[in-house]
């Protein structure tokens, strides 16, 4: 008497179920990310308006000194008093500063819009598609441009807020922080990933077309 070998079909049956559960988790997380992105965009706009139009001159000046990395050097026995650059923060200069920051903030808001659209695709179950890859590529480009725009903003802002000081009181700064370099590298990394994702999505769509 011989006994024929039997094979269980449980692993094959459970694989689609596991895939469905993973996709459901992705869709649920994507819905939360869409909400958080909307909150982030609204908070960014509200913070810009509040900082430039609803704060005292002293508080705004401290914030700008921190953003511009302007600090007075400290000495145990200073030879001469050191003063920080005087920033003109009248109403017209506040509007100008808000406009300059608004250009950079627009890049961030555009990247948030791309991310929101990408997570909308994920929430519908469209994970590996050409459209989502192109949205990720858009985010990568905006991150790269943002890493260049921030140092440029610091240069223009410092010159604009000290231009009315007259000779000896005008300042211009040119500098790149390590954070700007890392942000640029992150943009390049995301662009490469988006490029590979787009190629994979195109191959997957072509394969589906043959079926």
């Amino acid at each position: 008497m011989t006994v024929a070998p039997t094979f269980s079909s449980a692993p094959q049956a459970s694989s689609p179920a596991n895939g469905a559960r993973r996709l459901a988790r992705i869709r649920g997380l994507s819905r939360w990310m869409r909400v958080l992105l909307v909150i982030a965009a609204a908070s960014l706009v509200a913070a810009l308006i509040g900082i430039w139009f609803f704060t005292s001159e002293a508080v705004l000046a401290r914030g700008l000194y921190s953003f511009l990395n302007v600090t007075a050097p400290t000495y145990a026995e200073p030879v001469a008093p050191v003063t920080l650059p005087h920033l003109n923060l009248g109403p017209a200069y506040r509007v100008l500063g808000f406009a300059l920051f608004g250009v950079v903030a627009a890049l961030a808001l555009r990247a948030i819009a791309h991310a929101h659209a990408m997570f909308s695709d994920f929430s519908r179950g469209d994970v590996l598609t050409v459209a989502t890859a192109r949205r990720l590529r858009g985010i990568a480009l905006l991150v790269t441009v943002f890493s260049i725009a921030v140092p440029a903003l610091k240069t223009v802002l410092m010159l604009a807020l000290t231009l009315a000081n007259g000779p000896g009181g005008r300042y211009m700064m040119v500098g790149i922080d390590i954070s700007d370099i890392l942000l640029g590298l992150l943009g390049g990394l995301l662009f490469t990933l988006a490029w590979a994702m787009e190629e994979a999505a195109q191959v997957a769509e072509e394969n589906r077309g043959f079926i």
Side-chain angles (χ1 to χ4, degrees), residues 28-104:
L29 179 61
S30 298
R31 295 189 186 98
W32 277 107
M33 287 302 301
R34 290 170 59 193
V35 174
L36 292 176
L37 287 170
V38 172
I39 295 174
S43 300
L44 176 59
V45 174
L48 281 179
I49 295 174
I51 289 171
W52 282 101
F53 299 113
F54 295 97
T55 56
S56 65
E57 185 171 325
V59 172
L60 179 56
R62 284 198 300 269
L64 290 174
Y65 287 140
S66 177
F67 172 72
L68 296 170
N69 297 323
V70 176
T71 56
T74 57
Y75 304 96
E77 294 180 3
V79 177
V82 179
T83 58
L84 295 174
H86 172 69
L87 302 179
N88 297 289
L89 298 175
Y93 289 99
R94 287 179 181 246
V95 173
L96 176 61
F98 176 79
L100 292 174
F101 264 84
V103 173
V104 178

Side-chain angles (χ1 to χ4, degrees), residues 96-179:
L96 176 61
F98 176 79
L100 292 174
F101 264 84
V103 173
V104 178
L107 296 174
L109 292 174
R110 183 59 179 168
I112 290 174
H114 276 298
H116 188 275
M118 186 176 67
F119 282 115
S120 295
D121 292 339
F122 291 168
S123 66
R124 293 192 298 267
D126 300 330
V127 178
L128 186 60
T129 64
V130 174
T132 55
R134 288 175 178 170
R135 290 189 175 102
L136 181 59
R137 184 176 62 186
I139 295 172
L141 288 173
L142 288 166
V143 169
T144 305
V145 173
F146 190 87
S147 68
I148 301 171
V150 171
L153 171 63
K154 292 179 180 180
T155 300
V156 176
L157 188 65
M158 175 63 85
L159 182 60
L161 296 182
T162 60
L163 190 62
N165 291 344
R170 299 168 183 165
Y171 292 85
M172 182 176 181
M173 59 177 295
V174 178
I176 298 177
D177 294 334
I178 186 64
S179 59

